[in-house]
Amino acid sequence: VGIYICRCLTSSKFLLALILPKPMNYIKPSMKIQWLTNASKGISSTASARRAVTESVKGPLAKLDIEGVSNIVAVASGKGGVGKSTTAVNLAVAFSLQCGLRVGLLDADVYGPSVPSMMNLYERPRVGSDSRMIPLENHGVRCMSMGFLMDKDAPIVWRGPMVMSALEKLIRGVTWGKLDFLVVDMPPGTGDAQISISQRLPLSGAVIVSTPQDIALLDARRGANMFAKVNVPILGLIENMSYFKCPHCGEQSNIFGHGGARLTAQELNLEFLGEVPLNIELRETCDNGSPIVVSSPESEAASVYLSIAKKIVAKVQQNASSGSHFPQLLL
């Protein structure tokens, strides 16, 4: 019988979970009671378990500093399909090529890694003399992704502990070198992986990506509140697929609505970073592994990404000089 002790994020309570060797309905009631009793006795009588519970209640998990990395910025969304990875990739390249920074990109979306395709990187990472992986590099950005370590069409059918172990390897088992910014393409949602990354990494801040429609904005609010709960500064909101301009006549159509993210940012007392258009060229360049800030730097979308990148750099520098500012969310 396995025993897990889980700490609640918002209180000092903890949950005792038993991992049973067979389905519950095949276990005699008397055996269930015996296991629970033994587990409780084990925890109350085992010094190491008591210490684990006490330390987890006392305070947050220890941060995992990454040697040589000055700032870590998470790009997150409350749900999938809003263009989070596209945003993360283009911001990382903008930081490198347009802002002149040393940049890394960590693809933390273990179940659906997109960075290999978007950055046109398909090799296996080499392992250095220190047994750590060496990131692959393109467009001036050092990249690491679970997609580098598996076949292209292979699914990852893992439970939570295996995912967290893999993320730990991608974070600590990589020779990142000296970086001004490490961009983390977060998994969508607000589950175990997102919470653990937010707690374990010393994040300089998080950027929330959403489309304008109400359903996406509901999840964006949840994502913002998750970062607030774990004391991660929120650098601002980005409205992706904000509008569509006809390539023939130039007429603007608001396919998913317009201005929802700006309004949400105002309501949550957060900075609104910019509107990224719904653009055919933007989709094509990501599919081809050549982000639009590289392949078409004079385009409207590339200009928006560059503007957002500069705002993020300024915001991180401002927070560093004044002490991290944690915005008060208005619910």
Side-chain angles (χ1 to χ4, degrees), residues 198-218:
S198 303
Q199 286 184 313
R200 298 304 301 276
L201 285 180
L203 296 177
S204 303
V207 176
I208 308 294
V209 181
S210 180
T211 50
Q213 73 263 41
D214 292 342
I215 296 299
L217 291 168
L218 285 173

Side-chain angles (χ1 to χ4, degrees), residues 308-319:
I308 293 173
K310 290 179 177 178
K311 289 179 183 178
I312 292 172
V313 171
K315 189 82 171 179
V316 169
Q317 291 174 342
Q318 176 188 340
N319 288 350

Side-chain angles (χ1 to χ4, degrees), residues 4-8 11-15 43-62:
Y4 280 86
I5 302 169
C6 309
R7 181 194 173 196
C8 176
S11 73
S12 60
K13 296 179 180 179
F14 63 91
L15 171 69
I43 284 184
S44 61
S45 63
T46 304
S48 60
R50 284 203 308 273
R51 276 199 306 274
V53 174
T54 303
E55 289 170 4
S56 69
V57 170
K58 276 182 181 178
L61 295 169

Side-chain angles (χ1 to χ4, degrees), residues 230-246:
V230 293
N231 293 330
V232 172
I234 303 170
L235 303 175
L237 267 67
I238 297 174
E239 182 169 281
N240 197 33
M241 309 182 203
S242 182
Y243 55 88
F244 173 75
K245 277 188 178 180
C246 176

Side-chain angles (χ1 to χ4, degrees), residues 210-277:
S210 180
T211 50
Q213 73 263 41
D214 292 342
I215 296 299
L217 291 168
L218 285 173
D219 292 315
R221 286 173 179 268
R222 296 186 182 103
N225 283 318
M226 180 200 73
F227 285 113
K229 282 183 181 295
V230 293
N231 293 330
V232 172
I234 303 170
L235 303 175
L237 267 67
I238 297 174
E239 182 169 281
N240 197 33
M241 309 182 203
S242 182
Y243 55 88
F244 173 75
K245 277 188 178 180
C246 176
H248 305 292
C249 67
E251 181 181 354
Q252 179 171 315
S253 300
N254 300 325
I255 296 174
F256 298 106
H258 183 75
R262 183 188 295 272
L263 180 59
T264 299
Q266 293 173 354
E267 292 173 350
L268 297 180
N269 194 28
L270 299 173
E271 182 173 348
F272 181 69
L273 296 173
E275 300 174 344
V276 181

Side-chain angles (χ1 to χ4, degrees), residues 3-309:
I3 301 175
Y4 280 86
I5 302 169
C6 309
R7 181 194 173 196
C8 176
L9 274 175
T10 56
S11 73
S12 60
K13 296 179 180 179
F14 63 91
L15 171 69
L16 170 66
L18 300 182
I19 309 302
L20 302 177
K22 59 178 69 176
M24 199 72 162
N25 55 328
Y26 290 99
I27 300 173
K28 294 179 180 179
S30 59
M31 190 64 72
K32 298 175 192 176
I33 295 172
Q34 181 182 340
W35 279 340
L36 287 169
T37 303
N38 291 342
S40 300
K41 287 180 180 178
I43 284 184
S44 61
S45 63
T46 304
S48 60
R50 284 203 308 273
R51 276 199 306 274
V53 174
T54 303
E55 289 170 4
S56 69
V57 170
K58 276 182 181 178
L61 295 169
K63 297 288 186 181
L64 295 175
D65 290 326
I66 304 178
E67 183 181 355
V69 177
S70 300
N71 298 285
I72 306 175
V73 173
V75 178
S77 63
K79 66 184 303 174
V82 299
K84 168 186 58 63
S85 294
T86 300
T87 301
V89 165
N90 278 283
L91 286 179
V93 176
F95 288 145
S96 174
L97 298 185
Q98 303 295 331
C99 300
L101 301 175
R102 296 167 296 183
V103 182
L105 176 60
L106 170 61
D107 188 354
D109 191 351
V110 172
Y111 290 116
S114 302
V115 166
S117 296
M118 292 185 176
M119 293 294 283
N120 195 29
L121 293 169
Y122 297 102
E123 303 171 29
R124 303 284 185 186
R126 293 185 295 108
V127 178
S129 58
D130 57 357
S131 299
R132 294 196 295 176
M133 293 181 288
I134 299 173
L136 302 182
E137 186 170 339
N138 199 7
H139 309 304
V141 178
R142 302 169 200 169
C143 304
M144 182 52 62
S145 170
M146 182 56 65
F148 299 155
L149 309 176
M150 53 186 286
D151 293 334
K152 184 177 180 180
D153 298 324
I156 295 182
V157 188
W158 288 350
R159 295 189 184 276
M162 295 180 69
V163 172
M164 294 317 305
S165 176
L167 286 173
E168 191 103 352
K169 292 288 192 303
L170 292 178
I171 294 168
R172 299 297 300 276
V174 175
T175 304
W176 289 104
K178 295 288 186 181
L179 294 180
D180 299 306
F181 271 74
L182 176 62
V183 179
V184 181
D185 181 12
M186 295 280 283
T190 55
D192 287 346
Q194 295 85 343
I195 293 171
S196 296
I197 292 172
S198 303
Q199 286 184 313
R200 298 304 301 276
L201 285 180
L203 296 177
S204 303
V207 176
I208 308 294
V209 181
S210 180
T211 50
Q213 73 263 41
D214 292 342
I215 296 299
L217 291 168
L218 285 173
D219 292 315
R221 286 173 179 268
R222 296 186 182 103
N225 283 318
M226 180 200 73
F227 285 113
K229 282 183 181 295
V230 293
N231 293 330
V232 172
I234 303 170
L235 303 175
L237 267 67
I238 297 174
E239 182 169 281
N240 197 33
M241 309 182 203
S242 182
Y243 55 88
F244 173 75
K245 277 188 178 180
C246 176
H248 305 292
C249 67
E251 181 181 354
Q252 179 171 315
S253 300
N254 300 325
I255 296 174
F256 298 106
H258 183 75
R262 183 188 295 272
L263 180 59
T264 299
Q266 293 173 354
E267 292 173 350
L268 297 180
N269 194 28
L270 299 173
E271 182 173 348
F272 181 69
L273 296 173
E275 300 174 344
V276 181
L278 180 62
N279 187 289
I280 295 174
E281 186 180 16
L282 180 56
R283 191 271 303 166
E284 290 175 341
T285 53
C286 274
D287 285 350
N288 295 332
S290 181
I292 198 166
V293 294
V294 174
S295 57
S296 185
E298 304 301 322
S299 66
E300 181 181 10
S303 298
V304 172
Y305 281 127
L306 176 58
S307 172
I308 293 173

